[in-house]
Amino acid sequence: MRYGLLVFLAAAISCATQPVALKDFDSLISAAVERIADEKFNEASVLYHKALQIDPNSAQARTGLAMSYCLLKQWDLALDEVETVLGMYPSDRGALFIKASSLLAKNKYAESAEMFGTLAGSGVSMFSNRDRDVFVLAFFRALQHYESALHLNE
């Protein structure tokens, strides 16, 4: 999961000639992606915040910020950003993955399993082989904990 959205974010970056503000935005996003790859998650979150000052409605920047928060184990902040993205794009797989992972980390197994199930239903082809393995393991972990919790309530 560490780099689950790295490919997603990198693919969304445009190299075309654009107005200065958009070039700055793209530069900030590119730099943030590099910081994620270098495991400098605090620096990445600062860059995503700066990108959001240029375009407050950018799902790309919000998803990146959510991923940074998730990697920093700031689950509530990650969930807040993800909810904003999902408000704009309810089926955004990157946001759904971050939400499922954050819910799992917060021991909200039923909700996490539901999110992972939604992702599994839409296919996991967006993930690389390595990330697909992480996805499957996280999904099974959520289901296992949820099942255990159900048995405790019997």
Side-chain angles (χ1 to χ4, degrees):
M1 186 195 110
R2 288 185 113 166
Y3 309 106
L5 294 176
L6 185 59
V7 173
F8 167 78
L9 291 172
I13 296 172
S14 168
C15 295
T17 9
Q18 301 169 344
V20 175
L22 291 179
K23 282 184 182 178
D24 291 343
F25 178 84
D26 286 346
S27 296
L28 288 167
I29 296 294
S30 293
V33 169
E34 289 174 17
R35 296 309 185 286
I36 294 280
D38 293 340
E39 299 185 22
K40 296 178 180 177
F41 310 127
N42 279 319
E43 290 178 28
S45 66
V46 169
L47 293 166
Y48 284 121
H49 274 289
K50 288 180 180 180
L52 286 167
Q53 290 174 350
I54 295 170
D55 183 0
N57 297 317
S58 170
Q60 179 185 18
R62 289 207 180 275
T63 302
L65 181 57
M67 183 175 64
S68 296
Y69 286 146
C70 190
L71 294 168
L72 288 165
K73 299 180 182 180
Q74 295 176 343
W75 315 119
D76 292 328
L77 293 172
L79 288 168
D80 288 345
E81 291 301 328
V82 161
E83 288 303 327
T84 302
V85 173
L86 292 173
M88 295 184 279
Y89 304 100
S91 60
D92 183 290
R93 291 189 215 178
L96 288 169
F97 183 75
I98 294 168
K99 182 175 182 177
S101 300
S102 296
L103 290 169
L104 179 60
K106 290 184 59 138
N107 301 326
K108 295 189 176 191
Y109 304 121
E111 294 172 70
S112 177
E114 182 181 338
M115 289 282 103
F116 280 120
T118 299
L119 279 166
S122 65
V124 291
S125 61
M126 71 170 274
F127 300 111
S128 68
N129 287 337
R130 185 180 144 294
D131 291 336
R132 190 174 303 123
D133 292 343
V134 170
F135 168 82
V136 170
L137 289 173
F139 184 30
F140 284 130
R141 181 174 169 227
L143 288 174
Q144 180 183 25
H145 286 291
Y146 179 53
E147 184 179 82
S148 296
L150 287 176
H151 291 301
L152 290 175
N153 292 329
E154 292 178 349

